Amino acid sequence: MSPFIENIMIAKQIQEELNAYSIPEKREFLPYFFKTGKGQYGEGDKFLGVVVPDTRKVAKKYKDIPFTEVAKLLNNEYHECRLCALLILVELFKKTKDETRKQEIVDFYLAHTHRINNWDLVDLSAKDIVGEYLVDKDRSVLYQLADSSLLWDQRIAIIATFAFIRRNDYQDILDLSRRLLYHKHDLMHKAIGWMLREMGKRDKMKLTGFLDSYSKEMPRTMLRYSIEKLSPEERAFYMKK
């Protein structure tokens, strides 16, 4: 990182660069898309109007900034600043070989889950940081997250399992799906259904075995998401159960 970058307020500079990518139509649309109204899951969130590919460009440019500046971005009122912080952590984690450093990144991430406070923020970071870190480690932290009262902790637990699913390791998504089967929030129904669908794309028998046991109890959204890749006849069969 150049001396110039080191000597400025990096988080402020990042926000200014993100703002340069702002699209007025997106700034108007995104608050509705991410449910920022009173009582909705994204209540009060603010948007610059930046699309994800442009946020990634900025994140890659600043992937070596210190945690103190990442924390400032995570505490920013603008959604894209928080997303940029998380994408910086993803980039940092990917390039890091040292296990101690990886643990520091994961610990920092988990200490800030209250600021990873919308579904896209979770989905674009949890599998690539928490999931990848836990591939060859004890996964009890996922069950602690699943038992949290914070919706975003619970979604992180589910989405993190994508890293295991990609390696044909399905035990945790099955266990967590059973644990959260009666969750009341639609965002969790969608997340669990999505991960079950990903499992089913790799091992159809695992999915249908789960469905045979739980399709009658599953929330309809969860069920619909999970069966999307099955045949029309199979989808009709499970929707009727």
Side-chain angles (χ1 to χ4, degrees), residues 126-128 130-132 134 142 155-165 195:
K127 64 184 184 299
D128 296 316
V130 179
E132 288 296 327
L134 294 177
L142 295 185
R155 189 166 174 115
I156 287 168
I158 292 296
I159 301 301
T161 67
F162 203 172
F164 319 147
I165 293 167
M195 291 300 104

Side-chain angles (χ1 to χ4, degrees), residues 109 116 118-126 152 155-156 159:
Y109 182 93
I116 309 172
N118 215 311
W119 58 265
D120 65 315
L121 304 181
V122 172
D123 296 359
L124 291 169
S125 62
W152 311 118
R155 189 166 174 115
I156 287 168
I159 301 301

Side-chain angles (χ1 to χ4, degrees), residues 60-122:
K60 288 180 179 180
K61 179 178 177 181
Y62 289 95
K63 62 182 181 297
D64 295 315
I65 67 173
F67 279 170
T68 52
E69 296 302 304
V70 178
K72 291 176 186 176
L73 288 172
L74 280 172
N75 284 293
N76 194 287
E77 63 180 338
Y78 286 104
H79 188 99
E80 293 92 340
C81 290
R82 300 197 302 281
L83 176 57
C84 191
L86 295 168
L87 294 176
I88 286 169
L89 293 176
V90 169
E91 290 295 323
L92 182 59
F93 189 89
K94 284 180 178 177
K95 76 167 192 171
T96 300
K97 304 301 181 184
D98 181 72
E99 284 297 315
T100 300
R101 183 60 170 162
K102 285 184 176 182
Q103 184 175 345
E104 289 173 355
I105 296 167
V106 173
D107 289 346
F108 178 87
Y109 182 93
L110 293 175
H112 291 84
T113 57
H114 62 293
R115 301 302 298 159
I116 309 172
N117 54 355
N118 215 311
W119 58 265
D120 65 315
L121 304 181
V122 172

Side-chain angles (χ1 to χ4, degrees), residues 136-176:
D136 58 354
K137 297 176 179 64
D138 176 79
R139 299 172 187 174
S140 57
V141 65
L142 295 185
Y143 297 85
Q144 295 169 19
L145 290 167
D147 291 341
S148 168
S149 60
L150 185 63
L151 172 65
W152 311 118
D153 282 350
Q154 297 167 334
R155 189 166 174 115
I156 287 168
I158 292 296
I159 301 301
T161 67
F162 203 172
F164 319 147
I165 293 167
R166 288 186 292 203
R167 293 169 172 84
N168 303 317
D169 178 354
Y170 311 125
Q171 192 59 54
D172 290 289
I173 188 53
L174 291 169
D175 289 345
L176 287 166

Side-chain angles (χ1 to χ4, degrees), residues 15-74:
Q15 181 174 338
E16 290 174 355
E17 292 196 24
L18 287 170
N19 200 45
Y21 285 107
S22 177
I23 302 170
E25 294 83 2
K26 289 289 183 182
R27 180 178 277 197
E28 290 294 321
F29 169 72
L30 291 174
Y32 297 97
F33 183 70
F34 285 106
K35 309 296 184 186
T36 63
K38 186 172 179 59
Q40 295 181 306
Y41 59 76
E43 180 176 352
D45 206 355
K46 296 182 179 180
F47 291 82
L48 295 170
V50 185
V51 296
V52 173
D54 289 335
T55 306
R56 286 191 189 279
K57 290 177 189 176
V58 178
K60 288 180 179 180
K61 179 178 177 181
Y62 289 95
K63 62 182 181 297
D64 295 315
I65 67 173
F67 279 170
T68 52
E69 296 302 304
V70 178
K72 291 176 186 176
L73 288 172
L74 280 172

